[in-house]
Amino acid sequence: MPPAMRLSSSSLYTSGFFHSNNDRRRRNNNNNNNNAASSISCSSINNDWKNIKSSHSSTTSLTVAAATTSVKDKDTNILTKEGDGKSSTLHSISITEDGKRSVPPPGNGQKIYEIDPNLTGFRNHLDYRYGQYKRIREAIDKHEGGLEAFSRGYQKFGFSRSATGITYREWAPGAKSAALIGEFNNWNSEVDVMTQNQYGVWEIFLPNKADGSPAIPHGSSVKIRMDTPSGTKDSIPAWIKFSVPTPGAASYDGLYYDPPEEEKYVFKHSQPKRPKSLRIYESHVGMSSTEPVINTYANFRDEVLPRIKKLGYNAVQIMAIQEHSYYASFGYHVTNFFAPSSRCGSPEDLKSLIDKAHELGLLVLMDVVHSHSSNNTLDGLNMFDGSDGHYFHSGARGYHWMWDSRLFNYGSWEVLRFLLSNARWWLDEYKFDGFRFDGVTSMMYTHHGLQVEFSGNYDEYFGMATDVDAVVYLMLVNDMIHGLYPEAVTIGEDVSGMPALCVPVQDGGIGFDYRLHMAVADKWIELLKTQDEDWKMGDIVHSLTNRRWLEKCVVYAESHDQALVGDKTIAFWLMDKDMYDCMALDKPSTSVIDRGIALHKMIRLVTMGLGGDAYLNFMGNEFGHPEWIDFPRGDQDLPSGKRVLGNNHSYDKCRRRFDLGDAEYLRYHGLQEFDQAMQHLEQRYSFMSSEHQYISRKDEGDKMIVFERGNLVFVFNFHWSKSFTSYRVGCLKSGKYKVVLDSDDQLFGGFSRVDPSAEFFTSDGWYDDRPHSFLVYAPSRTALVYALVEDENQPIKSCIPKMSLLDNKQKKI
C-alpha cells in the first residue's frame, strides 16, 4: 500500500486471537470468426442479478468469546489438535468430460461452525453471505458457462486475434459513441467506429490486410476515443496487455501487444510444487539493483534470483508488477491491470524471470491489487467512459480518502468478470504461483478499517459495516484460483482478524491459504521504542502465538512498510546512526552495535520460530540494510500552500545495497549469514509446518523463552547481562541433543561463547511440564536451537552455501 499511510485500526484480541496493533499502510501517495461477447449474455441475467442484489439485508450479530489458538502453552493449557492442517493444504481440481478444467461446485458452507462454534451466533449473516456466493455461482454457471469460462474474459474483451483479423471489445456503457484510434489509422476517429450492443459493450472487427498481416502492427499505440457525458475522452483500453510512457509526456500509451511466434517466450521449466512451509523473500524488481537505477527483469533474473535461492528462501513475492504510472506508489496505484510494468522490461522478460525462478525451485507470488485503483483519469480506469460509477462505486463510497484512489463496485457483474479474469491472466499467461492480495481489510468493510479499532468482538466482523459484495468476490476469486490451479497459494493482507478468512470456501470461509500476521511487526515496533530491559516475555509470546486455530499465517518481523522513508527498520531502531560509523570489523564496536546485532538476530528467529506457518522478509532487511527507501520525487505544493521538498528525483535511496551484506569485512555480513542459516534450518527441519508446538517457559525474571517446535528446542535468553550455566530446559523426547544454530557464533557477528561440539543428554523426570530435560549454557542476548540427534547432524552453518563478494560482481562500497 502507498507510502506514509496508516490504517487507524488497532486490535487487542481476547484469548485465541492474534494481537494486532496499528496497521502500517502504504498508500502515497462485425466479427465473422469470434462470437460477440456481451456485458451480460442474455436479458434473463438482468433479472437474476436483480434478484441476487435485492436479497441484501442487514444481519444482527451477538458478542461471543474468541476461538482457541493453535499452540500449546503450559501456562494457558491451550492444545494443538492433532492433524489440524498445519501441513500444506492442496485443493482438488475438477475435470469435465471433455478434459477441461472446471471449478468444483460449492459445498454447503457449514463446516465453519464446527471449526469455530462461536460463529453459530452469527449464522444469519454467514448463511446469507454463503447464499449470495452460491447464487452468483449459479448465475455464472447459467449465463457464462461457469466460473472457468467467466474468468477468461481476456479472451473476449480487449484485443483478440483470429485467423481473419482483430476484434476489439470494451465495456463502456456511459459512452455515447466510440472509435478505436492509434498509429495504425493515424489517430483518425472517423475510420474505425465501434458499435454498441444493448449491454454497453462496444465492438469492432478489423480484417487482415490484403497480404494477410494484422491491421494493427505489434507494438503500435492504441486508444479508444469516446464521446462521454463529460466530453470527448481518449482512454487506454481497460484490458490492455502492455503500456509504456508517452515520449516527452507524463502520460502512458497503450500498446497492441501481439509479438510474432519467434519472439514469444516459451516456458521451459515446470512450476514447483507447493512446499510444506513458505519462506518468502519480498522484493521489488525496480529497486533491486545496488546502483541508483531502475533495475530490469533480466538483471533481477540473473543476479537477484540466485541470491534468494542461496539464502535459503523457497518463494519470491514480487511487488509492483501491475502497471502503475506513479513509481512512488510502490505499485499500489495500478493504472493498467493486465499489463506488467514496462519500467523493468517487456512481458517476455518477465516470463523469463519467472521461468528462471521455477528452474531454481522458487515459487513466484505476485502482490496483486484488487482493493482499489489509481484515480488517474488519463491512464487508468477512473472515469473511463466519462461516468463516476463505471468500475467503481459512485460518490464518496467509491473514493478512498486516505489512499486518494478509487474503490471497486464488487456488486457489478462486469467488475467481477474483470477482476476474476485479471487474477487468472497472471496465473495462466505468466505462470505466477499465487498471490498476496493487498488491502483485504479495506475491501471487507465499508469503513475500510479507517479510524476503527478492532477489539475482537465478532459484531465488528458480521454487521452493517461488512461489505458482503467484496467478501463474496474474495470467495469467488479464491474458489476460481484453487479450483483451476490447486497448487496456487493465496495470502490475504488483513489486519482486522476476520474469522474464517483462511477456511476453504466450500466450508463457509473466504478461502485464503494464509493471512499476513501483521500484528507481529507492529509489536516489535512498540517494543523497540522501549529498552529491552522492560520487555515482557509473556507479551512477546502472546503476540507471536495469538492467532486463529486452523488458519495459517505468514509472519514477519518487518516488511517493506518499515523500510520506507519516515519509518525505521529493526536495524535502525536498534543501532541508528552508529550503523554508519561502526559496522566495519577493523573498527571497535560499541555497546549499541553489539546490542543491535544480537537482538536483530533474536527477533527474527523467535518470530520465525513461534509466529506462524510461513515466514516473510523484505529484501535487504536480512542483513540490516542501513538506508530507508525514498522513491525519486520532486517538490510538491499542497493545497494548503505548504511545500513538501522532494529529493531532486534521486534514485540513491531507491535501491538495495546487497554489496554491504556480501562484504566479509562489514558486520552486515554476519547478519546476512545468520538469516541464511535460519532459512536453511527451517529447510532441513521443516519446523514451521510441524504439528508439535509447545511453550514450556516464559520467565520474566531470567528473561528466558523456551519452546519446542518439531524435534527442535529453542532457547532464548533476552537478558541484557546475565548468562546462565547449567540452565535446565524441558523437552518432550529423550536422547542426545546438539546445537544446530547459535546466534552468538562468531560467523554471525557474535562472541562464540557456546561450544558447537558439545552434546546434551536428557534426564528423566518432569520439568516445566515436560517429561524430560537437559542442562544448557545460555549466554546473554543469545538464541540457541537444539536438535535431537537421530542422524549425526552437523550445525547448520557448515551446511549452507557461501555468500560473499567472491560469488558476485565486485561492487564499490
Side-chain angles (χ1 to χ4, degrees):
M1 303 183 182
M5 296 290 183
R6 174 193 293 272
L7 278 180
S8 299
S9 58
S10 63
S11 308
L12 183 57
Y13 292 102
T14 55
S15 153
F17 291 87
F18 57 82
H19 173 123
S20 178
N21 289 324
N22 289 332
D23 172 27
R24 187 100 26 192
R25 302 321 249 181
R26 299 90 58 202
R27 299 284 187 226
N28 244 12
N29 313 316
N30 302 345
N31 183 354
N32 43 2
N33 279 338
N34 294 276
N35 294 324
S38 63
S39 167
I40 301 175
S41 55
C42 62
S43 59
S44 63
I45 197 172
N46 285 327
N47 295 326
D48 288 352
W49 192 240
K50 288 178 182 177
N51 290 336
I52 292 172
K53 300 309 295 177
S54 65
S55 66
H56 273 292
S57 60
S58 61
T59 57
T60 57
S61 304
L62 301 175
T63 303
V64 296
T68 59
T69 62
S70 60
V71 178
K72 185 173 181 181
D73 184 325
K74 75 180 184 71
D75 293 335
T76 56
N77 198 28
I78 295 170
L79 299 175
T80 298
K81 187 175 181 180
E82 291 298 321
D84 66 353
K86 285 295 174 183
S87 59
S88 177
T89 301
L90 296 182
H91 305 269
S92 61
I93 184 170
S94 178
I95 306 294
T96 61
E97 291 183 1
D98 58 3
K100 294 182 179 180
R101 291 176 295 179
S102 66
V103 180
N108 60 20
Q110 298 299 298
K111 193 173 180 179
I112 51 172
Y113 305 117
E114 300 175 23
I115 295 171
D116 184 358
N118 296 323
L119 292 173
T120 305
F122 301 86
R123 185 182 288 272
N124 286 343
H125 178 102
L126 291 165
D127 286 355
Y128 160 74
R129 184 179 82 182
Y130 202 76
Q132 287 293 96
Y133 153 76
K134 291 182 70 173
R135 282 188 284 272
I136 295 175
R137 279 289 307 268
E138 290 167 0
I140 291 173
D141 289 346
K142 179 179 178 180
H143 301 292
E144 300 283 355
L147 199 51
E148 190 279 331
F150 190 53
S151 61
R152 286 187 281 111
Y154 49 82
Q155 294 179 353
K156 293 182 178 181
F157 286 83
F159 293 94
S160 59
R161 186 159 72 91
S162 67
T164 57
I166 298 170
T167 301
Y168 169 57
R169 298 188 185 96
E170 197 74 72
W171 176 59
K176 301 175 183 177
S177 64
L180 179 62
I181 59 175
E183 293 176 314
F184 74 99
N185 64 8
N186 294 317
W187 303 97
N188 189 340
S189 61
E190 304 297 325
V191 177
D192 297 303
V193 178
M194 304 175 72
T195 59
Q196 185 185 35
N197 67 17
Q198 59 182 317
Y199 306 110
V201 176
W202 296 89
E203 179 178 336
I204 189 170
F205 176 71
L206 303 176
N208 290 338
K209 296 178 181 178
D211 62 1
S213 62
I216 309 176
H218 162 63
S220 60
S221 298
V222 290
K223 285 191 176 184
I224 179 173
R225 176 166 294 173
M226 293 170 284
D227 180 19
T228 77
S230 55
T232 301
K233 186 173 187 296
D234 293 349
S235 295
I236 295 176
W239 299 70
I240 200 73
K241 304 302 192 298
F242 196 44
S243 61
V244 297
T246 305
S251 60
Y252 269 62
D253 283 336
L255 300 186
Y256 174 71
Y257 194 83
D258 186 21
E261 291 300 321
E262 62 270 17
E263 294 181 15
K264 293 181 179 179
Y265 186 82
V266 178
F267 286 91
K268 304 175 183 65
H269 305 283
S270 59
Q271 294 176 246
K273 298 295 183 182
R274 185 199 302 195
K276 290 182 179 180
S277 53
L278 288 171
R279 300 183 301 276
I280 303 169
Y281 197 80
E282 185 185 31
S283 58
H284 184 289
V285 173
M287 66 173 65
S288 63
S289 174
T290 58
E291 304 299 328
V293 297
I294 295 178
N295 207 8
T296 65
Y297 297 127
N299 286 340
F300 187 92
R301 175 197 65 206
D302 297 338
E303 297 180 5
V304 182
L305 285 179
R307 166 181 294 277
I308 296 170
K309 175 66 175 179
K310 194 174 290 187
L311 282 169
Y313 292 86
N314 58 17
V316 54
Q317 178 180 299
I318 307 181
M319 309 169 64
I321 290 294
Q322 295 165 292
E323 188 60 87
H324 48 292
S325 59
Y326 182 42
Y327 189 46
S329 73
F330 230 138
Y332 290 112
H333 280 197
V334 176
T335 45
N336 308 123
F337 282 77
F338 289 83
S341 177
S342 60
R343 291 181 181 88
C344 302
S346 72
E348 310 313 305
D349 292 335
L350 176 58
K351 292 175 184 178
S352 176
L353 182 162
I354 294 170
D355 198 27
K356 179 63 177 180
H358 291 162
E359 180 187 3
L360 294 172
L362 298 171
L363 268 65
V364 186
L365 307 178
M366 176 177 167
D367 198 344
V368 72
V369 183
H370 285 181
S371 50
H372 67 140
S373 175
S374 170
N375 68 358
N376 184 327
T377 58
L378 291 176
D379 310 314
L381 297 178
N382 189 21
M383 302 293 291
F384 181 86
D385 67 350
S387 62
D388 181 50
H390 183 200
Y391 282 93
F392 313 108
H393 288 291
S394 59
R397 188 179 177 188
Y399 179 72
H400 197 295
W401 60 265
M402 180 174 281
W403 298 346
D404 188 25
S405 58
R406 297 304 311 273
L407 298 173
F408 286 106
N409 177 7
Y410 303 102
S412 163
W413 190 266
E414 289 305 314
V415 171
L416 290 180
R417 186 200 305 276
F418 183 85
L419 294 176
L420 289 168
S421 298
N422 185 245
R424 183 166 180 188
W425 167 254
W426 295 108
L427 295 173
D428 198 37
E429 182 71 13
Y430 288 87
K431 311 302 180 188
F432 277 97
D433 300 293
F435 300 106
R436 170 207 182 264
F437 278 82
D438 177 70
V440 168
T441 301
S442 176
M443 296 173 68
M444 294 191 299
Y445 307 98
T446 55
H447 53 60
H448 311 299
L450 299 174
Q451 299 177 328
V452 172
E453 292 189 358
F454 291 98
S455 66
N457 186 323
Y458 276 28
D459 286 318
E460 297 165 350
Y461 308 119
F462 310 117
M464 295 298 293
T466 305
D467 189 334
V468 174
D469 287 338
V471 174
V472 168
Y473 164 69
L474 292 171
M475 295 167 71
L476 288 168
V477 73
N478 276 301
D479 213 10
M480 182 273 293
I481 291 170
H482 292 134
L484 300 179
Y485 306 89
E487 290 280 344
V489 177
T490 61
I491 302 168
E493 189 205 30
D494 172 42
V495 70
S496 74
M498 169 66 79
L501 183 82
C502 299
V503 173
V505 175
Q506 64 182 14
D507 297 332
I510 297 176
F512 286 102
D513 294 305
Y514 298 88
R515 88 164 76 229
L516 279 181
H517 199 343
M518 303 173 70
V520 173
D522 291 331
K523 169 54 68 174
W524 288 123
I525 292 172
E526 175 189 321
L527 292 176
L528 288 168
K529 293 178 180 178
T530 67
Q531 291 299 310
D532 49 307
E533 290 89 338
D534 299 323
W535 295 0
K536 303 298 182 183
M537 301 300 100
D539 187 27
I540 292 173
V541 169
H542 173 75
S543 298
L544 291 170
T545 60
N546 198 12
R547 53 189 187 270
R548 295 189 182 281
W549 182 52
L550 285 183
E551 298 195 44
K552 294 190 289 187
C553 291
V554 176
V555 70
Y556 55 93
E558 55 185 343
S559 68
H560 68 271
D561 292 346
Q562 289 74 37
L564 289 168
V565 63
D567 210 328
K568 286 185 178 182
T569 63
I570 289 176
F572 246 124
W573 278 109
L574 290 169
M575 296 178 280
D576 205 65
K577 60 182 176 61
D578 280 29
M579 295 177 70
Y580 293 107
D581 300 318
C582 306
M583 294 299 278
L585 291 175
D586 62 355
K587 292 184 179 181
S589 183
T590 66
S591 60
V592 172
I593 292 295
D594 290 344
R595 171 184 180 269
I597 287 177
L599 290 177
H600 190 274
K601 293 176 289 187
M602 295 181 72
I603 287 170
R604 300 173 80 79
L605 182 59
V606 74
T607 298
M608 176 185 251
L610 273 183
D613 312 274
Y615 179 81
L616 177 143
N617 167 67
F618 179 66
M619 60 179 188
N621 286 351
E622 67 272 12
F623 61 85
H625 199 287
E627 296 174 344
W628 56 86
I629 297 169
D630 191 9
F631 283 90
R633 53 192 171 85
D635 298 345
Q636 182 180 8
D637 293 318
L638 302 180
S640 62
K642 180 181 178 181
R643 167 163 283 200
V644 178
L645 297 179
N647 60 12
N648 198 29
H649 300 283
S650 171
Y651 287 85
D652 186 60
K653 296 297 188 294
C654 196
R655 54 175 170 156
R656 296 280 89 181
R657 294 292 304 275
F658 294 121
D659 50 321
L660 301 179
D662 290 345
E664 296 182 0
Y665 54 86
L666 295 177
R667 291 184 169 89
Y668 297 109
H669 184 67
L671 296 177
Q672 178 170 280
E673 290 288 314
F674 180 77
D675 190 84
Q676 184 181 18
M678 190 171 74
Q679 305 308 319
H680 282 272
L681 179 78
E682 207 290 321
Q683 180 179 358
R684 180 195 287 183
Y685 292 100
S686 302
F687 59 82
M688 285 196 299
S689 60
S690 172
E691 293 182 3
H692 174 62
Q693 305 172 71
Y694 193 94
I695 302 159
S696 59
R697 178 168 287 256
K698 300 173 293 185
D699 194 307
E700 301 297 349
D702 294 343
K703 298 297 180 182
M704 294 287 294
I705 296 173
V706 181
F707 62 89
E708 303 161 26
R709 203 159 183 187
N711 283 343
L712 301 179
V713 178
F714 292 76
V715 178
F716 289 82
N717 181 1
F718 278 95
H719 203 284
W720 53 97
S721 62
K722 286 186 180 179
S723 298
F724 301 99
T725 58
S726 300
Y727 197 89
R728 188 170 294 279
V729 297
C731 60
L732 174 65
K733 297 183 178 180
S734 64
K736 180 174 70 174
Y737 285 80
K738 294 187 71 173
V739 174
V740 289
L741 184 62
D742 172 14
S743 70
D744 194 49
D745 195 295
Q746 188 174 5
L747 176 66
F748 308 141
F751 300 98
S752 290
R753 289 171 286 178
V754 175
D755 181 0
S757 65
E759 297 177 338
F760 305 86
F761 295 89
T762 59
S763 300
D764 295 336
W766 289 86
Y767 186 80
D768 280 349
D769 206 23
R770 312 311 287 145
H772 310 283
S773 63
F774 58 94
L775 299 176
V776 302
Y777 173 48
S780 60
R781 285 181 177 152
T782 295
L784 293 155
V785 183
Y786 300 85
L788 183 67
V789 178
E790 296 171 320
D791 301 311
E792 289 292 330
N793 292 326
Q794 295 177 312
I796 286 294
K797 69 172 184 175
S798 64
C799 303
I800 58 177
K802 188 71 172 173
M803 294 285 291
S804 72
L805 283 172
L806 298 177
D807 300 310
N808 301 285
K809 297 177 180 178
Q810 291 283 344
K811 301 290 185 180
K812 185 177 180 180
I813 305 300

